[in-house]
Amino acid sequence: ILPTNLLNHFLLLYVGSRILSSSELSKDYTDFANNLLVNFVSKAANLYGQECLVYNVHSLVHIAQDVKCLGPLDEFSSFPYENMLGQLKKLIRKPQSPIQQLIRRLQEKQVFHK
């Protein structure tokens, strides 16, 4: 069972992220979500130590501004890009000539999977 202080800290992240992921909620509550995430980051070092303040944690204080400019998080996520990179990586079988291997595998897929 998570101690109350850690649960409350996690809820700052969860609620802020949930708001920024929703097209309905992000319209009216982006500033509130920003306050939650800034609060989350400011308390993180005290709860988990300075080493937890990596770039990804710090970037949470800027993400609400991105939502204001680009829309809800799901509309500019990099997950589809990262998933495609994973699929391409599986097509490379050895460390030599990765570009050539990739082109051959993609051509093979085109020819044999039509």
Side-chain angles (χ1 to χ4, degrees), residues 4 18 21 25 31 36 40 42 75 79-80 85 98 105 108 110:
T4 303
R18 177 67 179 99
S21 297
L25 295 173
D31 290 331
L36 294 174
F40 174 83
S42 70
E75 292 183 14
F79 290 132
L85 284 179
R105 297 300 93 70
E108 290 168 2
Q110 263 186 334

Coordinates of all heavy atoms in Angstrom, one line a residue, residues 4 18 21 25 31 36 40 42 75 79-80 85 98 105 108 110:
T4 N 0.2 7.8 2.0 CA -0.6 8.8 1.6 C 0.1 10.0 0.9 O -0.4 10.5 -0.1 CB -1.4 9.4 2.8 OG1 -2.1 8.3 3.4 CG2 -2.4 10.5 2.4
R18 N -4.2 13.6 -17.2 CA -5.5 13.2 -17.6 C -6.2 14.4 -18.2 O -6.8 14.3 -19.3 CB -6.4 12.6 -16.5 CG -7.8 12.3 -16.8 CD -7.9 11.2 -17.8 NE -9.2 10.9 -18.1 CZ -9.9 11.3 -19.2 NH1 -9.2 12.0 -20.1 NH2 -11.1 11.0 -19.4
S21 N -4.7 15.3 -21.6 CA -5.0 14.3 -22.6 C -6.4 14.3 -23.2 O -6.7 13.7 -24.2 CB -4.7 12.9 -22.1 OG -3.4 12.7 -21.7
L25 N -11.5 18.4 -21.4 CA -11.0 19.0 -20.2 C -9.9 20.0 -20.5 O -9.8 21.0 -19.8 CB -10.5 17.9 -19.3 CG -11.5 16.9 -18.7 CD1 -10.9 15.8 -18.0 CD2 -12.5 17.7 -17.8
D31 N -4.6 25.4 -17.4 CA -3.8 26.2 -16.4 C -3.8 25.4 -15.1 O -2.8 25.4 -14.4 CB -4.3 27.6 -16.2 CG -4.0 28.5 -17.4 OD1 -3.0 28.2 -18.1 OD2 -4.8 29.4 -17.7
L36 N -0.8 21.7 -11.3 CA -0.7 20.3 -10.7 C 0.7 19.8 -11.1 O 1.4 19.2 -10.2 CB -1.8 19.4 -11.2 CG -3.2 19.7 -10.7 CD1 -4.2 18.7 -11.4 CD2 -3.3 19.6 -9.2
F40 N 3.9 18.9 -8.8 CA 4.4 17.5 -8.8 C 6.0 17.6 -9.0 O 6.7 16.9 -8.2 CB 3.9 16.7 -10.0 CG 4.5 15.4 -10.2 CD1 4.0 14.3 -9.5 CD2 5.5 15.2 -11.1 CE1 4.6 13.0 -9.7 CE2 6.1 13.9 -11.3 CZ 5.6 12.9 -10.6
S42 N 8.0 20.1 -8.3 CA 8.6 20.8 -7.2 C 8.7 19.9 -6.0 O 9.7 20.0 -5.2 CB 7.9 22.1 -6.9 OG 6.7 21.8 -6.3
E75 N -3.0 14.2 -29.5 CA -2.9 14.7 -30.8 C -1.5 15.0 -31.3 O -1.3 15.2 -32.5 CB -3.8 16.0 -31.0 CG -5.3 15.6 -30.8 CD -6.2 16.8 -31.0 OE1 -5.7 17.9 -31.5 OE2 -7.3 16.7 -30.6
F79 N 4.3 8.4 -29.8 CA 4.2 7.0 -29.8 C 4.1 6.3 -31.2 O 4.7 5.3 -31.4 CB 3.0 6.5 -28.9 CG 3.3 6.8 -27.4 CD1 2.3 7.4 -26.6 CD2 4.5 6.4 -26.8 CE1 2.6 7.7 -25.3 CE2 4.7 6.7 -25.5 CZ 3.8 7.3 -24.7
P80 N 3.3 6.8 -32.1 CA 3.2 6.2 -33.4 C 4.6 6.1 -34.1 O 5.0 5.1 -34.7 CB 2.2 7.0 -34.2 CG 1.4 7.6 -33.2 CD 2.3 7.9 -32.0
L85 N 9.6 2.9 -35.4 CA 11.0 2.7 -35.3 C 11.3 1.3 -34.8 O 12.2 0.6 -35.2 CB 11.6 3.7 -34.3 CG 11.9 5.1 -34.9 CD1 12.5 6.0 -33.8 CD2 12.8 5.1 -36.1
P98 N 22.9 -1.3 -42.3 CA 21.5 -1.3 -41.8 C 20.6 -0.7 -42.8 O 19.5 -1.2 -43.0 CB 21.6 -0.5 -40.5 CG 22.8 0.3 -40.6 CD 23.8 -0.5 -41.4
R105 N 14.4 -5.3 -47.0 CA 13.2 -5.9 -46.2 C 11.9 -5.2 -46.6 O 10.9 -5.9 -46.8 CB 13.4 -5.8 -44.7 CG 14.6 -6.6 -44.1 CD 14.6 -8.1 -44.3 NE 15.3 -8.5 -45.4 CZ 16.6 -8.5 -45.6 NH1 17.4 -8.1 -44.7 NH2 17.2 -9.0 -46.7
E108 N 10.9 -6.4 -50.0 CA 10.4 -7.8 -49.9 C 9.0 -7.7 -49.4 O 8.1 -8.5 -49.9 CB 11.3 -8.6 -48.9 CG 12.6 -9.0 -49.5 CD 13.5 -9.5 -48.4 OE1 13.1 -9.7 -47.2 OE2 14.7 -9.8 -48.7
Q110 N 6.8 -5.4 -49.8 CA 6.0 -4.8 -50.9 C 5.7 -5.9 -51.9 O 4.5 -6.1 -52.4 CB 6.7 -3.7 -51.6 CG 6.3 -2.3 -51.1 CD 6.9 -1.2 -52.0 OE1 8.0 -1.4 -52.6 NE2 6.3 -0.1 -52.0

